[in-house]
Amino acid sequence: MILRHLTIDCADPYELATFWSKVTGWPVSDVDEPSDPEVLIEAPWPVPGLLFIRVPEGKAGKNRIHFDWVSADRTRDDEVERILALGAKLYEDHRTAEGAGWVTLLDPEGNEFCIERSDRERELQTTGA
């Protein structure tokens, strides 16, 4: 089995896909348009793409599953600030005075996701550098 897509129910697939495209750097599929009922952002192989599908009902309650992201080229705090500037909202801040922890954000439709420290940040804290 190969996981092909992670599917997210939403009110506006193109708008939410565009937000996540900016967050991830992955492109919105060339065949998708603003009025489409489903929109895909294409992840690099073998990572599954994110497929956004229009549903009539709104989000109700806490997500049963969410994404935990680690930046490839920024610090956790820089990544949080970048994503907030793209339209996310702060939900819960679990950062500690020692530099550990994570931040939980909400995408424009209220879906929770977390930003963790990068591998480099974890390494620096472990070595004390």
Side-chain angles (χ1 to χ4, degrees):
M1 298 286 292
I2 295 173
L3 183 58
R4 183 173 179 195
H5 301 131
L6 295 167
T7 302
I8 297 102
D9 292 347
C10 60
D12 189 333
Y14 197 84
E15 182 178 319
L16 198 55
T18 299
F19 167 81
W20 280 105
S21 176
K22 291 174 185 172
V23 169
T24 61
W26 306 340
V28 172
S29 173
D30 290 339
V31 300
D32 291 322
E33 298 185 11
S35 61
D36 288 347
E38 59 184 52
V39 177
L40 174 68
I41 62 171
E42 300 171 332
W45 176 259
V47 177
L50 300 179
L51 181 62
F52 299 87
I53 297 186
R54 181 176 291 116
V55 296
E57 64 277 354
K59 181 179 180 285
K62 185 168 176 22
N63 292 17
R64 297 292 303 265
I65 187 171
H66 71 262
F67 302 125
D68 290 338
W69 297 97
V70 176
S71 180
D73 58 358
R74 294 177 186 89
T75 67
R76 173 202 54 212
D77 296 347
D78 288 345
E79 195 66 81
V80 167
E81 292 306 314
R82 181 184 76 85
I83 296 170
L84 287 170
L86 293 173
K89 291 185 174 84
L90 180 64
Y91 182 63
E92 297 176 335
D93 193 333
H94 298 278
R95 292 177 278 196
T96 67
E98 299 79 32
W102 67 96
V103 178
T104 305
L105 302 175
L106 301 174
D107 75 12
E109 290 205 14
N111 299 301
E112 299 94 2
F113 63 100
C114 294
I115 305 298
E116 299 179 3
R117 292 179 300 154
S118 68
D119 292 340
R120 179 72 177 135
E121 287 176 287
R122 290 172 196 264
E123 178 184 306
L124 289 174
Q125 186 172 12
T126 302
T127 63

